[in-house]
Amino acid sequence: MTLPAMLACLLLQQTWVVDDNGGPGVSFTDTPPAVAAAADGDVVVVKPGQYSPFTVSGKGLRILGEDRLTTIVRSFTATVSTIADAPAGSPVVLECRSFGFPGLGLDLPQQLRILGSTTVAVVEQVTIDGEVFGPLASPPFGPGLLADGAEVHLRHRSISGPPGTLAGPGLPQDLPGKPALSVVNGGKVEVASSGLVGGSGAGQIAFGDVAGVGGPGISISSSPGTLSVLRVVGSAVHGGLGGTGACISPCLGTPVGAPGGPGILAASS
């Protein structure tokens, strides 16, 4: 790119400020309308606060959270933020100085999905907390971070996978824990200086002696005609804990434990 062209791009770039408190200089009070309004190449600065999950589609943005402990993305009604189909040569940078995607403590783990063969995303200084206690919502939950065909650079952060889910009478259940990171359909992922832990398996305490296995720290698989690639450097990767069932009958109250998950599970990759 020539110098005049580079200068033109910089002049066209716009910065949007998101602050749930509003006030002078604030463009939006939540992330979804800010991301929707931003054009390819724009910057979205997110101040400390609590914000809704968002979707970036068909454009590259730089989304900068100010602090992972106080710039929070979560919702009682939605659990997934999505980055999809970014144009080639126009990466999405989710950089948190930092963002947190914490679970809500009861039944809604938070998840990030990065999709599309042209999508390149940098996820830096971001915490994704999928592990929540005692999930009772209807499954299924996906992995903490899904890279589906996309190129993802994950740096300096921690991710935990959602746990298996319990359910009441007549509702579905999904006992195994979920991966912290899942790479599928030709995704290419680099993990550096990060920690990943699979979700814990759930126990079934009311309906029989079954329990879910722990989720893998990383799951990677390829589909026909594609090759998924994973590179892990200077990181800790652990499988999730196995669940424990009540073993009501015929075990006379002896708990039943499922195995923990593998650190990395690779299939056809």
Side-chain angles (χ1 to χ4, degrees):
M1 181 180 290
T2 65
L3 181 58
M6 292 176 64
L7 292 174
C9 287
L10 291 174
L11 290 172
L12 290 172
Q13 183 184 79
Q14 184 170 350
T15 297
W16 306 81
V17 177
V18 181
D19 190 335
D20 61 355
N21 291 318
V26 174
S27 311
F28 296 95
T29 57
D30 204 357
T31 48
V35 168
D40 185 59
D42 283 358
V43 178
V44 179
V45 176
V46 186
K47 299 290 186 178
Q50 182 164 309
Y51 303 96
S52 304
F54 55 85
T55 296
V56 179
S57 182
K59 55 190 172 186
L61 300 176
R62 190 174 184 90
I63 305 174
L64 306 178
E66 290 209 339
D67 188 286
R68 68 181 178 84
L69 298 179
T70 58
T71 305
I72 303 299
V73 175
R74 67 183 178 189
S75 169
F76 285 98
T77 58
T79 68
V80 178
S81 292
T82 301
I83 298 170
D85 302 322
S90 192
V92 176
V93 179
L94 186 63
E95 181 180 328
C96 295
R97 308 181 298 259
S98 176
F99 272 107
F101 291 78
L104 288 167
L106 290 176
D107 61 355
L108 290 178
Q110 299 300 296
Q111 301 160 80
L112 176 63
R113 296 177 181 172
I114 304 177
L115 317 174
S117 60
T118 61
T119 301
V120 177
V122 178
V123 181
E124 187 165 355
Q125 295 288 339
V126 175
T127 296
I128 303 173
D129 182 11
E131 183 70 273
V132 294
F133 177 74
L136 301 175
S138 176
F141 292 121
L145 172 61
L146 171 65
D148 188 341
E151 178 182 335
V152 179
H153 301 268
L154 177 67
R155 302 167 183 161
H156 307 291
R157 209 53 277 155
S158 63
I159 300 176
S160 58
T165 58
L166 300 174
L171 296 177
Q173 58 187 334
D174 191 14
L175 295 173
K178 302 301 178 292
L181 165 65
S182 182
V183 186
V184 300
N185 296 327
K188 295 176 175 60
V189 177
E190 176 195 35
V191 178
S193 303
S194 297
L196 295 90
V197 181
S200 299
Q204 190 182 30
I205 60 175
F207 308 106
D209 51 353
V210 297
V213 299
I218 300 175
S219 173
I220 175 170
S221 63
S222 295
S223 56
T226 67
L227 179 66
S228 299
V229 179
L230 170 70
R231 183 171 185 259
V232 181
V233 180
S235 299
V237 183
H238 299 275
L241 298 175
T244 302
C247 193
I248 296 173
S249 174
C251 315
L252 301 178
T254 303
V256 173
I264 298 177
L265 176 63
S268 303
S269 299

